[in-house]
Amino acid sequence: MTGDLMLPARHRVSHRWPETADCATIRLEPLRDPLPAFAPGQFTMLYAPGVGEVAISISGDPSTVDGTVVQTIRNVGAVSRALSQARPGSVLGVRGPYGTGWDLDSAAGRDLVIVAGGVGLAPLRPIVLGALARRAAYGRVVLIAGARTPADFLFGDQLTGWAGNPDLEVHLTVDRPAAGWSGPVGFVTEPLASLDLDPARTTAFLCGPEPMMRFSARVLQRAGVAATDIRVSLERNMKCGVALCGHCQLGELLVCRDGPVVDYSVAEPLLTVPEL
Ligand SMILES: Cc1cc2nc3c(=O)[nH]c(=O)nc-3n(C[C@H](O)[C@H](O)[C@H](O)COP(=O)(O)OP(=O)(O)OC[C@H]3O[C@@H](n4cnc5c(N)ncnc54)[C@H](O)[C@@H]3O)c2cc1C
Ligand code: FES
């Protein structure tokens, strides 16, 4: 019946990179068969034995074919703490990949605007890596990332590399002034509003807190970008991850099955529904 869908595959943590004070990236190697290939934007159900299971997006390179899974986890509660603090050598359970992806392929030939708030950069990293790997397939590629403080940016060294890469336009901003930060201060909507976009050829990818996605989508819509060309990643508590339990229901959607990535014409009326 549904047994296999609910059965985590054992994976060993092979590497752990601390990202920020409360966030780490881990790489998982399958002990037996690898998971199927993932699409940027998809998530897994990640199980810390004896603690519990939560949904975590895949933050690694979509071109990786060695069966490893890379995930970036913020420590906000018991399960995410166990996962984000898992040491190399420890064994975790992984189910997936699940859900809809960003569908970068359908944006071929268009300008990409990628807007990340905080840990929202994790599910968007596969898009940046995927776009760089097929750079000629896209027009402008813009990454706007915001964090509470400079120390809260994920993927620090990689962000520095991307900022110096002429193939990408990178705008980093922090919520409040900080010692040693000479860059912009303010929300991601500010650099977003200052982009001189060609709305008819722009596809936008947004991930972060819901207010950040709502305000960013409004800025894009004011610039003329259609709601159907704006993709957002929804976050709801998951239990089964495979459309069985109804836990992630949002309006008529089951976020684990119909999301997490949906276009803004679908998300806009739903983002006012409080999580149960
Ligand atoms: C599709 C999807 C993809 C996700 N991808 C990622 C990812 O890549 N990385 C990641 O770190 N998380 C991700 N999450 C969120 C992650 O699933 C939750 O943070 C996790 O379920 C928290 O579980 P917990 O048991 O550790 O915390 P809980 O014990 O459930 O929560 C502890 C406290 O933290 C608060 N809290 C819970 N979640 C968050 C949050 N996300 N931000 C701030 N406060 C929160 C709760 O309200 C509670 O007060 C994703 C969620 C979904 C649905
Ligand atoms: S998490 Fe069970 S239906 Fe979506």
Side-chain angles (χ1 to χ4, degrees):
M1 242 210 7
T2 56
D4 285 350
L5 282 179
M6 302 303 291
L7 193 66
R10 282 153 52 87
H11 282 60
R12 178 173 286 118
V13 177
S14 63
H15 286 81
R16 178 182 181 275
W17 299 268
E19 298 282 355
T20 66
D22 61 359
C23 218
T25 296
I26 55 175
R27 181 159 71 207
L28 296 149
E29 284 176 357
L31 293 190
R32 291 189 56 191
D33 297 337
L35 301 181
F38 78 97
Q42 287 193 297
F43 67 94
T44 73
M45 295 302 294
L46 200 49
Y47 173 61
V51 190
E53 190 184 48
V54 292
I56 299 291
S57 299
I58 297 170
S59 62
D61 188 337
S63 68
T64 301
V65 291
D66 63 3
T68 59
V69 185
V70 173
Q71 308 204 259
T72 303
I73 305 134
R74 182 142 74 105
N75 167 2
V76 294
V79 185
S80 53
R81 181 176 317 120
L83 295 170
S84 65
Q85 295 179 352
R87 297 284 146 193
S90 47
V91 173
L92 304 177
V94 191
R95 296 190 284 127
Y98 296 138
T100 55
W102 297 105
D103 195 9
L104 187 55
D105 289 345
S106 73
R110 297 171 61 80
D111 294 338
L112 311 182
V113 175
I114 302 158
V115 187
V119 78
L121 185 57
L124 289 167
R125 180 161 74 153
I127 292 226
V128 179
L129 296 170
L132 285 174
R134 295 180 57 220
R135 185 61 189 85
Y138 304 100
R140 259 174 106 179
V141 182
V142 183
L143 170 66
I144 300 176
R148 279 171 298 183
T149 73
D152 289 312
F153 279 112
L154 302 181
F155 317 129
D157 289 347
Q158 188 158 49
L159 270 186
T160 306
W162 285 346
N165 184 338
D167 283 338
L168 272 179
E169 290 175 48
V170 178
H171 302 263
L172 304 181
T173 181
V174 297
D175 291 356
R176 47 181 187 270
W181 177 257
S182 55
V185 175
F187 295 134
V188 288
T189 42
E190 293 175 31
L192 183 61
S194 68
L195 295 177
D196 188 17
L197 296 176
D198 178 348
R201 55 170 289 158
T202 296
T203 301
F205 305 91
L206 315 180
C207 191
E210 286 180 4
M212 172 244 135
M213 293 195 288
R214 269 203 313 275
F215 287 120
S216 298
R218 275 185 213 155
V219 169
L220 288 159
Q221 287 179 302
R222 273 202 297 274
V225 180
T228 47
D229 290 326
I230 301 171
R231 295 181 194 146
V232 300
S233 186
L234 301 172
E235 197 177 301
R236 285 295 176 279
N237 273 340
M238 306 269 175
K239 287 289 176 212
C240 71
V242 289
L244 292 173
C245 71
H247 211 80
C248 64
Q249 181 136 17
L250 179 62
E252 293 186 351
L253 303 185
L254 289 177
V255 174
C256 67
R257 176 193 64 196
D258 307 315
V261 178
V262 296
D263 79 49
Y264 196 61
S265 63
V266 174
E268 186 172 19
L270 298 172
L271 284 180
T272 52
V273 178
E275 188 169 359
L276 294 174

